[in-house]
Structure formats: structure tokens, C-alpha cells
Amino acid sequence: TTDAAIMSVADGVATITLNQPDNKNALSVDLMNAMGDHIANAEANDDVRIILLTNAGNTFCAGADLRGKSDSVPRHSLVDVMAAIIDCEKPVIGRIAGHCTGGGVGLAAACDISLVEDTALFGFTEVRLGVCPAVISVVCLPKLRRADASELFLSGERIPASRAAEVGL
């Protein structure tokens, strides 16, 4: 099996890679635990100056893991991980190398800076399942104009990276 997220450190940069591409890096218990642990370890490591959050595969993060199958005990929630990113005393840079939806948008918005490949799509797609993006709204709403937030939160439309940048995500 592969680790849900892996961390490497080189030249002062801790790279945390979401590493469940077969599951579109969905926010499983294992992935949340690994991300929370890695962020804490990177912040405590004196050799680390910057934390880079990125992904394996063609999806940065598809949001909640709707399969939800895990024997792991949750140690970190999405709220915990987003708070760790926001509160981190070291800069956290998101390198969004693929589509970013649902809770993944929250992760990208929590980063100090997110760099996104041109072909990526963003969206609050959970609304298509009747789920409000409540948890991630805490980090997304401060970046969005009210009209953009209403449109995106209510439509669930997937938008290109250029539009995500225009609206502040």
C-alpha cells in the first residue's frame, strides 16, 4: 500500500504530496491523518523554511471521500488541517497540479499562496449532492465577492483555473 500523503524535505522545502491518485486524493481518514501529521512535523523541523502542498495524479483533491472505508482512527479533521495550514508560522504554498473540488478548494484557499496549472478545474461540486460547503466556506468566503460566492456555492459549476484566480481562489 502507499502512504496517503508523503513528505520529503530538501533545500529547506518540505513537500507534502497527496498520494491517493486512484481515489482522486479524496479526503479519507488516512489522508487527513497523514496531512495533519506532516504539517506538524514540517512546522517543527528547523531545517524547513517553506511547506509545499501538492498532489500525485491528475486531481489535487476531489473533496470528501464518499467511499469512507477505513479502519483508521481519525486524528485530524479537515477543520484541523485547514487551521494548521492557516496558523502555520512557515509559509504554506499550494501547487495545485490538477482538478480541485469540494474540500480540496478549502485546502487551496487555506494556503498562503496557491499556484494552479492552467488546465485545472475548481468547483464546490458537493452542492450537486445537496451538501452545503459549510466547513470550507470559512476559508473561501473571505477571498470571494458575495456575488461570486453565491454563484459558485449554489451552482456547483466547475470553473477553469483562470476564473478561480479572478474570483480570488
Side-chain angles (χ1 to χ4, degrees):
T1 68
T2 61
D3 293 327
I6 54 177
M7 184 172 83
S8 61
V9 178
D11 299 324
V13 178
T15 301
I16 300 171
T17 304
L18 309 185
N19 192 40
Q20 292 186 318
D22 293 342
N23 195 24
K24 303 216 176 280
N25 295 314
L27 297 170
S28 65
V29 171
D30 293 334
L31 182 58
M32 299 305 301
N33 285 343
M35 284 194 323
D37 291 347
H38 290 321
I39 292 166
N41 291 337
E43 187 169 22
N45 184 335
D46 291 337
D47 293 333
V48 172
R49 295 186 320 274
I50 296 172
I51 300 170
L52 179 68
L53 183 63
T54 192
N55 59 284
N58 66 358
T59 303
F60 174 70
C61 179
D65 182 10
L66 300 178
R67 297 178 194 168
K69 299 175 185 176
S70 177
D71 295 329
S72 300
V73 175
R75 291 188 310 277
H76 303 282
S77 68
L78 178 57
V79 171
D80 296 334
V81 172
M82 289 189 308
I85 292 170
I86 291 167
D87 296 339
C88 188
E89 294 192 12
K90 298 175 182 182
V92 180
I93 310 300
R95 185 175 73 201
I96 315 304
H99 302 317
C100 185
T101 57
V105 179
L107 291 176
C111 292
D112 295 303
I113 298 171
S114 285
L115 307 170
V116 182
E117 66 180 28
D118 291 339
T119 58
L121 295 174
F122 277 65
F124 299 96
T125 53
E126 62 268 45
V127 300
R128 294 178 178 181
L129 302 173
V131 177
C132 174
V135 170
I136 62 172
S137 69
V138 174
V139 294
C140 295
L141 284 174
K143 297 180 178 234
L144 295 166
R145 289 182 322 118
R146 182 181 171 110
D148 292 326
S150 293
E151 174 191 345
L152 297 172
F153 279 23
L154 294 173
S155 72
E157 173 188 5
R158 294 182 347 150
I159 60 173
S162 58
R163 174 101 196 283
E166 287 171 10
V167 300
L169 291 173

